[in-house]
Structure formats: structure tokens, C-alpha cells
Amino acid sequence: SKCVHSVGTGILPSRLILRGCRLSDESAVLIAATLPVYDSVVELDLSNNLVGMHGAQALGDMCLRCPTLRSLDLSHNTSIQLSALGPLSVAILANPALTVTLRQISDIRSTIEGVCSRHGVSSTSHVGNE
């Protein structure tokens, strides 16, 4: 598919760019189930897709099983709701090197900042805002 762009060597590249591929919640859940098998991926870009609540929750859980992942871009997935942020917040707390980029919504950012501050973690270094 021409929407897939990856950079790296080996079985799976270090950067998996799936920006604008019209990936659904189901696609995100499948990626979340598969990606932990590979330890080479450090960047996953799922921006500008159709990922919703279930996909975002699965990706948050995936981040806990992917310690090498450093960047997850979920910006411009307009169906992600606040209820999906629990697993993403936990992943940010568990992996201080992980940056999660979400669409620009103050509610989402303030929710993550609240979770991070309750645990004594600075959210500014972990949450990207596009």
C-alpha cells in the first residue's frame, strides 16, 4: 500500500508510518496485538486515521508491552474519546521515554496532565500536542 512508509532494516523497521491510511479501530487493535512481538519499532505513526476508543485503549496497553517504543502519534483521529486515555496515561507513566501525540483538544491534554501530576510525572515531556 502506498500509505505505508517505513524506515529501518530487519524484519520490521524502526519507524512504522501508517499516516492517513484510513485505518479503523479494528486495524489499531490488530497492530496493538502484533507489534509487541517486534522489539525494533521505536516510532509508530497512526495519525490521520479512523482510530477510535477501542483502538486507542489497545494501543495504550500495547505501549506497556513495547519498552523500545519511544513515539506514538495518534493525532487527528477524531473518534478518540477521554475514556481511552486511561491506558495511554498508564503507558506514559510506565515508560518515561515514550511520547504520545494526540489531537489538539484541551480536555485530553488536561486529563493526561492531571493523571501525570497525581503521580509526580511532568506531562510536558511526554505528551505532544499538534
Side-chain angles (χ1 to χ4, degrees), residues 38-58:
Y38 304 97
D39 61 359
S40 63
V41 177
V42 296
E43 178 184 350
L44 177 58
D45 184 346
L46 296 174
S47 62
N48 295 303
N49 280 293
L50 304 171
V51 177
M53 184 175 71
H54 297 295
Q57 289 173 335

Side-chain angles (χ1 to χ4, degrees), residues 11-85:
I11 295 174
L12 200 61
S14 61
R15 296 177 61 213
L16 189 55
I17 311 300
L18 298 168
R19 182 182 315 122
C21 293
R22 301 190 50 80
L23 297 175
S24 65
D25 243 5
E26 293 78 20
S27 300
V29 170
L30 288 172
I31 290 168
T34 306
L35 204 61
V37 174
Y38 304 97
D39 61 359
S40 63
V41 177
V42 296
E43 178 184 350
L44 177 58
D45 184 346
L46 296 174
S47 62
N48 295 303
N49 280 293
L50 304 171
V51 177
M53 184 175 71
H54 297 295
Q57 289 173 335
L59 291 163
D61 292 339
M62 173 208 69
C63 289
L64 295 173
R65 299 185 318 272
C66 292
T68 59
L69 189 65
R70 296 292 174 254
S71 175
L72 173 61
D73 189 343
L74 293 173
S75 58
H76 304 288
N77 282 281
T78 57
S79 296
I80 295 177
Q81 300 171 2
L82 290 176
S83 57
L85 298 182

